[in-house]
Amino acid sequence: MAVVAELVEARLRSALGEPDARASVTFLGTERIEVLRFLDDGIVRYATLGMSAAPMTDPAAVLADPEKGPRAELVLSVRAGAAETDKVLRPLAVLAASPQVEGVVVAPGASLDIGEPLWPGAAFTSVLVAEPGGLVEDLELDAPLEPVRFLPLLPMTPNEAAWKRARGAEALQERWLRHGTDLRDPLREAVPLAG
């Protein structure tokens, strides 16, 4: 599905500009996943490339359809220079490979857990998958292929992730909004969860 990858990269470039760095990771039995880095006025954006090469399929499905199913790439935005966020490349590639490796379908509202800090010293070990369409528009593909959705990732502390599991993604996002949480701050602390 090299054509899909080319179209995805072209969409990322049109939305975010030219990448200033890229890295690739290959996991046993999976296609190569690349992570592109874009700098934009003090914000660094990391976008996966390769996750959408194949559709995500329901792990309960007996037979995976090679064409039908949702396709996505992941986008993480953080403030540049405050932390070693470039170390997030491998964790992002792991998340992008999870549909191929673990058979998960990544969709808005889902939590994805790395099990370790996203980058050295980070308070975040997981991310909340947000709704697409804001930063990078969906990429329509020829039928019967579904569009590629560019899913923003919002870093969560372990306490926020536990609170989200108990109350839901919408409740956590409302709490972040109510407290004016800067979700792009790589050094931020957990939002107050009591009350």
Side-chain angles (χ1 to χ4, degrees):
M1 295 300 286
V3 174
V4 172
E6 289 171 16
L7 293 171
V8 167
E9 185 165 352
R11 174 56 55 92
L12 287 168
R13 286 172 185 268
S14 70
L16 305 176
E18 287 299 310
D20 74 329
R22 65 193 309 146
S24 65
V25 180
T26 305
F27 302 98
L28 188 61
T30 68
E31 298 290 325
R32 182 179 73 193
I33 301 287
E34 290 189 85
V35 179
L36 282 57
R37 185 181 72 183
F38 301 86
L39 284 174
D40 177 29
D41 196 26
I43 302 294
V44 60
R45 303 187 197 283
Y46 301 95
T48 63
L49 179 62
M51 180 177 170
S52 62
M56 295 180 278
T57 56
D58 184 340
V62 177
L63 194 59
D65 189 313
E67 293 186 333
K68 291 187 179 176
R71 294 173 189 263
E73 296 291 350
L74 308 174
V75 180
L76 173 70
S77 301
V78 292
R79 296 203 182 285
E84 289 184 84
T85 56
D86 280 351
K87 304 282 185 179
V88 79
L89 299 178
R90 184 165 177 77
L92 270 182
V94 168
L95 294 178
S98 62
Q100 291 181 54
V101 175
E102 300 170 23
V104 298
V105 175
V106 178
S111 300
L112 303 174
D113 199 320
I114 300 293
E116 61 186 44
L118 291 177
W119 53 81
F124 319 108
T125 58
S126 62
V127 292
L128 174 65
V129 181
E131 290 290 335
L135 190 60
V136 184
E137 288 184 28
D138 291 354
L139 172 65
E140 297 292 332
L141 300 174
D142 293 336
L145 305 183
E146 291 187 28
V148 176
R149 302 170 84 197
F150 296 87
L151 302 172
L153 301 180
L154 308 175
M156 294 188 294
T157 67
N159 286 345
E160 289 171 338
W163 203 83
K164 181 259 174 193
R165 279 191 301 276
R167 311 240 179 140
E170 192 174 308
L172 178 59
Q173 289 177 305
E174 286 173 6
R175 186 158 287 263
W176 280 336
L177 193 59
R178 188 171 346 127
H179 288 273
T181 306
D182 180 0
L183 296 173
R184 296 184 297 193
D185 180 356
L187 303 175
R188 77 169 180 87
E189 295 181 1
V191 70
L193 299 171

